[in-house]
Amino acid sequence: MSLGYADRLKNKRNLGGQLGAKEYHQSFDEIREGVKSLTAWVADSKRVFVFTGAGISTACGIPDFRGPKGIWTLRKKKIPISSDLTPFEYAKPSFTHMAIAALVAAGKVPYVCSQNVDSLHLWSGVPRRQLAELHGNCFAERCTKCRTEYARDFQMETVDFKPSGRLCSQPGCDGPLVDNILDWDTPLPEDELEEAVRQAEEADLALVLGTSLQIQPANEIPTLTRDEGGKMVIVNLQKTPKDRKANLIIRSRVDLVMALLMQELGLQVPPYVRTEGLVVEHHLSELKTEGSDADATGAAAAAAALPASTGGIQRVLTIRVRSLHGSGCPLPMVESLRISVRADGVDNHKAGASKRKLGCDSSAIQENGGCPEATSAGAMVWAPPSSNLLTSPSPTNSSGADYFSHGFVGVPLGIRRVRCTLQVRLVKWADDEKRDVMLHHSIELSELTNKAQAGSAGTANGSGDGKNISEESPGSVERSGAASGHHDYPTVSGTYVHNHTFVSQEVQYDPAMVISSFLADPPPVDHPKAPKKKRKGASSVDALAAAPTRVSLRLANVSRQRQPVSEATTSDVSEDSANES
């Protein structure tokens, strides 16, 4: 998972489970034979329950916790953790994430239960209503009043349901929002836990992917499918305490298994397309040169340099660029941008008066605000200097200030329409050919003037400071799919808003490439030792093949008051492991 997320958890000596357990690999032929059996079972099943762990995200550049190179394993050994990791914000779903999404879309998988907090299942296209996130989600926050959940494209800065400073945008609510991430001592979400249990019990097949099944009570959930007469398949490199419950174990990286499975089933894996959203706010105001408070954009300072012939008043067009999630929210994919404007429509009658009023022979006007210039056709051109390169203050800006802002001073009266250009530079994790984005739109200045004069106060979602503008249903976020275009709508008095969406990442998934990559450099074949024979007098009924400590004992009295995440002790795990070694 994420190093940043691990650092936000409470310090804890006993992290639960075995750290750094050995990984095993089957040959390609063995893996392929196992997948053929898996394919037949998937094809015959009406309901497949998928249970995932950190192992499905390691291919995305996100480290796990307890693997040989896991975060906690390395820390225990006092080995430095590699800096070549992919931050959560920029990770792309793995082949396995997208294959699961394909199975969900095909109707084979009605429900996915995940122990991960990286939001990659949601970004792959799995609907929130078909997903249990037992440990929470680093990219979600929830209203404490109406319980609406909001999916974000930036990480929360806290864990354990602490206030984010934002407010719910549901009509009539305005409740405070909190992060949706569990800490060590936080109980598992009862509603999602119970739904996962129900789905596992009703499934024909439980497919366990990339988890060592060491942590209770979550590790009991997929075994319920077996208890109710279904089958359980485990795909994991390490041994698990539930191996003897499985009908099939495949020692392989999950991407290879899912690539072979998609080929056998004839299912196409959808592409992943990440889109970004920018909200551009335009505000037209009159700025007095005497007694004006200088603002952050430097507009007042520029106006103060204008000659006295202007009468001490200048029209200022302020352009602010922010996240679609609200003012003060970070734009994790944006590294920097420039803002440029030029005249796009002229009222020649007003232009003449404006030109005389501005005193266009003044070099100060040329330098600070630009000046209308006559063309051979008699039209006017106004193109003030573009903004300096505006950069993000930090990847997790939470100051509440506008993310990017610049003021253009000296807007002539004759300008009816302004053409705005945003030159956006994306961070290095965007696709190379998509890092430089040019966005264009026009704005009618008469709209701003009329709104300012009328004092209209129409409000768009999230225009108030600290509020969220998401119109998603609880937790839903569609990060895959083509860009949705843009639209305009009025907001506060004298302000007009334009939305831009554009693609920053796009990945095509080819099963043949995954398979060929494995065959080009296969790991050494290594099998775990066979379990020791039972002692004389031992019960003929395998203890692990019998019904487990069922989570259906209504989750062990709701899991002993819903046992904290990862709270299982090493002795808890070794007790199960001893039965298979």
Side-chain angles (χ1 to χ4, degrees):
M1 308 304 273
S2 165
L3 183 58
Y5 160 69
D7 286 339
R8 288 194 292 270
L9 297 173
K10 295 175 184 175
N11 290 328
K12 189 176 179 65
R13 294 185 63 184
N14 180 14
L15 299 173
Q18 181 182 0
L19 302 181
K22 184 177 179 179
E23 294 180 344
Y24 299 93
H25 296 270
Q26 292 177 329
S27 68
F28 180 73
D29 289 339
E30 290 172 316
I31 295 169
R32 186 168 51 187
E33 286 302 310
V35 172
K36 287 182 178 179
S37 297
L38 173 60
T39 302
W41 294 342
V42 170
D44 291 342
S45 298
K46 294 182 178 179
R47 302 175 66 89
V48 178
F49 175 77
V50 173
F51 187 84
T52 66
I56 73 167
S57 296
T58 53
C60 310
I62 299 175
D64 59 20
F65 286 126
R66 296 179 178 83
K69 296 182 180 179
I71 291 175
W72 292 332
T73 302
L74 297 180
R75 284 181 174 176
K76 183 178 181 180
K77 296 179 178 180
K78 298 182 179 180
I79 298 175
I81 297 173
S82 172
S83 58
D84 188 23
L85 304 175
T86 302
F88 269 13
E89 289 93 340
Y90 313 120
K92 304 172 185 178
S94 66
F95 187 97
T96 297
H97 286 103
M98 301 308 297
I100 292 171
L103 289 168
V104 172
K108 276 294 180 182
V109 176
Y111 205 72
V112 178
C113 181
S114 178
Q115 302 168 94
N116 300 340
V117 297
D118 52 28
S119 199
L120 290 174
H121 278 306
L122 280 178
W123 295 357
S124 71
V126 176
R128 182 66 176 94
R129 65 183 179 277
Q130 293 176 261
L131 174 65
E133 296 180 310
L134 295 183
H135 296 173
N137 187 331
C138 283
F139 294 86
E141 52 189 337
R142 181 174 291 184
C143 176
T144 57
K145 289 177 63 177
C146 70
R147 306 303 295 168
T148 297
E149 187 176 311
Y150 294 88
R152 306 301 194 194
D153 58 5
F154 56 90
Q155 278 199 69
M156 300 299 106
E157 297 180 348
T158 59
V159 299
D160 203 20
F161 310 112
K162 293 183 176 62
S164 68
R166 288 175 285 273
L167 301 178
C168 180
S169 63
Q170 293 299 307
C173 183
D174 284 341
L177 301 182
V178 297
D179 69 72
N180 198 35
I181 314 166
L182 279 64
D183 205 341
W184 289 108
D185 301 323
T186 312
L188 300 184
E190 185 174 354
D191 53 346
E192 296 187 55
L193 192 58
E194 290 185 347
E195 179 62 16
V197 166
R198 186 182 72 82
Q199 292 283 346
E201 290 177 333
E202 295 179 357
D204 306 304
L205 172 67
L207 180 56
V208 180
L209 301 172
T211 172
S212 56
L213 292 174
Q214 296 191 63
I215 304 305
Q216 296 179 339
N219 65 347
E220 299 288 350
I221 296 175
T223 68
L224 300 178
T225 302
R226 177 69 185 271
D227 296 340
E228 297 297 329
K231 293 181 173 62
M232 182 172 73
V233 176
I234 297 176
V235 181
N236 198 59
L237 295 176
Q238 298 171 315
K239 295 192 295 184
T240 84
K242 305 301 178 184
D243 281 356
R244 291 202 181 190
K245 290 288 295 181
N247 299 87
L248 174 66
I249 300 172
I250 304 177
R251 304 288 182 199
S252 168
R253 299 199 180 279
V254 289
D255 278 3
L256 175 61
V257 171
M258 296 305 287
L260 291 167
L261 177 63
M262 292 297 103
Q263 278 193 340
E264 292 286 339
L265 291 174
L267 275 181
Q268 185 174 359
V269 179
Y272 170 67
V273 181
R274 172 171 175 156
T275 59
E276 308 301 326
L278 296 181
V279 178
V280 188
E281 296 180 349
H282 312 75
H283 183 74
L284 187 64
S285 60
E286 290 186 345
L287 186 66
K288 295 182 179 180
T289 60
E290 296 180 3
S292 295
D293 294 329
D295 60 19
T297 65
L306 294 170
S309 61
T310 63
I313 296 178
Q314 284 297 303
R315 292 206 306 171
V316 181
L317 176 62
T318 301
I319 299 178
R320 295 174 292 194
V321 182
R322 62 169 174 82
S323 165
L324 60 83
H325 295 284
S327 180
C329 293
L331 289 164
M333 290 297 289
V334 178
E335 181 178 290
S336 62
L337 64 79
R338 292 182 189 272
I339 305 174
S340 302
V341 296
R342 64 175 176 81
D344 197 31
V346 180
D347 185 327
N348 287 321
H349 176 72
K350 290 185 178 180
S354 174
K355 197 170 182 179
R356 290 191 298 273
K357 181 178 179 181
L358 288 172
C360 286
D361 57 344
S362 169
S363 60
I365 299 177
Q366 298 282 356
E367 294 173 0
N368 293 291
C371 181
E373 295 294 339
T375 66
S376 58
M380 278 177 39
V381 175
W382 180 69
S386 65
S387 68
N388 292 325
L389 194 65
L390 304 174
T391 57
S392 165
S394 72
T396 53
N397 172 37
S398 58
S399 63
D402 295 303
Y403 205 75
F404 299 105
S405 182
H406 187 76
F408 295 93
V409 182
V411 183
L413 292 175
I415 302 299
R416 296 197 313 264
R417 187 186 313 111
V418 170
R419 182 73 167 171
C420 180
T421 298
L422 303 179
Q423 182 180 344
V424 185
R425 176 69 169 174
L426 301 184
V427 295
K428 67 179 182 180
W429 288 278
D431 292 347
D432 288 342
E433 72 278 8
K434 296 179 172 61
R435 287 198 64 188
D436 293 296
V437 183
M438 298 293 287
L439 305 172
H440 307 276
H441 64 273
S442 294
I443 178 68
E444 296 285 346
L445 295 187
S446 59
E447 294 278 350
L448 299 180
T449 303
N450 293 338
K451 292 179 189 306
Q453 290 175 346
S456 62
T459 303
N461 288 338
S463 61
D465 286 343
K467 291 189 181 181
N468 183 278
I469 68 167
S470 174
E471 295 180 355
E472 316 281 358
S473 59
S476 66
V477 57
E478 300 301 332
R479 291 291 292 277
S480 58
S484 59
H486 59 264
H487 61 276
D488 300 316
Y489 49 86
T491 56
V492 295
S493 175
T495 301
Y496 206 76
V497 173
H498 186 98
N499 282 6
H500 280 288
T501 57
F502 54 92
V503 174
S504 61
Q505 294 175 337
E506 188 169 1
V507 185
Q508 302 291 331
Y509 296 85
D510 183 1
M513 290 186 64
V514 176
I515 297 168
S516 62
S517 176
F518 175 87
L519 292 175
D521 186 23
V525 176
D526 189 8
H527 298 96
K529 294 180 180 179
K532 293 181 180 179
K533 294 182 179 180
K534 295 187 180 72
R535 296 186 306 273
K536 187 176 180 179
S539 171
S540 60
V541 179
D542 192 318
L544 286 178
T549 308
R550 287 180 59 90
V551 179
S552 327
L553 290 179
R554 283 350 290 173
L555 305 172
N557 293 327
V558 190
S559 179
R560 302 185 207 97
Q561 295 302 314
R562 300 190 302 280
Q563 181 176 344
V565 179
S566 305
E567 190 68 20
T569 64
T570 305
S571 60
D572 289 330
V573 176
S574 61
E575 183 177 340
D576 275 331
S577 302
N579 290 321
E580 61 167 312
S581 60

